[in-house]
Amino acid sequence: IIGFFKVPFVGSVAVLYVTMLLFSLSVSSIGLMVSSFASTQQQAFLGCFTVGVPCILLSGFMTPVNNMPMFLQDLSQLNPLRHFIVILQGLFLKDITMSAALDSSARIAAITAVCCARSGCLRARHRARHVAYRFRNGYKEKSMSRKALPGPREGRPGGAPPVAKTHGIVYVSSTQGSGAAPARQERRRPSTFT
């Protein structure tokens, strides 16, 4: 790709690929950490935007880090994009070696390790709460596959009649198996925003 666009590149392609892999792992670990804080997919999307935009602004990509206030310069040390841009500038302009890129690579690796460990701890804590809740309420651990769920003709657990969902209104049929048309009762759906 570098040769196709005729971009002047004086560094090592191997160093570029190794640091790109490390940076990709770091960004993925940050995404895992943000999503482990969220309880829904929408919260995860908003969390990624909330983290992603400041990371780009504090990386030194648009404005130099040296022109930022001191507290933002210190805060940008937690940003893997800042360290990756330092490596890219060195590879494209100065022909740095892997040993010269090791300082920034070590910082990216440290950010990756911390974010992976934090997301693993959050996931384990969430799983422990889920298991404790199920244990307290007397539930047995069941498979979450489609085969474990009742089909539309099998009815629901506890003798509840089958439920038909139509445009946000839930209809419950009170007659099963008889030739009469089912009587429909309108039942409100529980709110998802609690």
Side-chain angles (χ1 to χ4, degrees):
I1 293 177
I2 294 170
F4 181 76
F5 291 108
K6 308 238 184 313
V7 176
F9 182 75
V10 294
S12 168
V13 176
V15 174
L16 175 66
Y17 286 151
V18 167
T19 54
M20 270 197 315
L21 176 67
L22 188 61
F23 175 69
S24 299
L25 290 173
S26 179
V27 171
S28 298
S29 68
I30 290 173
L32 280 173
M33 186 180 72
V34 168
S35 67
S36 64
F37 279 111
S39 58
T40 64
Q41 188 176 13
Q42 289 83 8
Q43 287 177 355
F45 279 140
L46 289 174
C48 286
F49 283 121
T50 304
V51 171
V53 173
C55 280
I56 293 170
L57 292 175
L58 294 176
S59 67
F61 175 70
M62 296 183 192
T63 58
V65 176
N66 295 334
N67 292 348
M68 296 179 188
M70 208 52 201
F71 74 96
L72 287 179
Q73 290 181 25
D74 295 336
L75 186 64
S76 71
Q77 292 291 332
L78 301 174
N79 187 0
L81 184 57
R82 175 193 174 170
H83 304 296
F84 186 60
I85 286 177
V86 168
I87 293 171
L88 285 179
Q89 287 173 345
L91 285 173
F92 276 88
L93 302 174
K94 301 177 189 172
D95 188 18
I96 63 170
T97 60
M98 189 60 188
S99 60
L102 196 59
D103 180 46
S104 294
S105 299
R107 291 177 187 202
I108 293 173
I111 293 167
T112 304
V114 168
C115 289
C116 280
R118 183 67 181 148
S119 63
C121 289
L122 287 170
R123 177 70 182 140
R125 186 172 66 180
H126 174 72
R127 180 70 181 153
R129 284 182 182 170
H130 179 70
V131 169
Y133 174 79
R134 291 179 68 91
F135 181 74
R136 272 195 313 266
N137 293 326
Y139 293 109
K140 292 182 181 176
E141 197 66 33
K142 292 182 181 177
S143 170
M144 293 303 288
S145 68
R146 285 197 164 292
K147 293 178 184 175
L149 299 174
R153 295 183 185 170
E154 297 174 21
R156 300 291 183 258
V163 176
K165 298 176 185 173
T166 311
H167 301 291
I169 299 173
V170 178
Y171 296 103
V172 179
S173 64
S174 60
T175 59
Q176 293 182 8
S178 66
R184 295 184 177 178
Q185 299 171 333
E186 188 173 327
R187 191 175 68 183
R188 292 204 178 264
R189 290 186 134 176
S191 175
T192 57
F193 300 99
T194 55

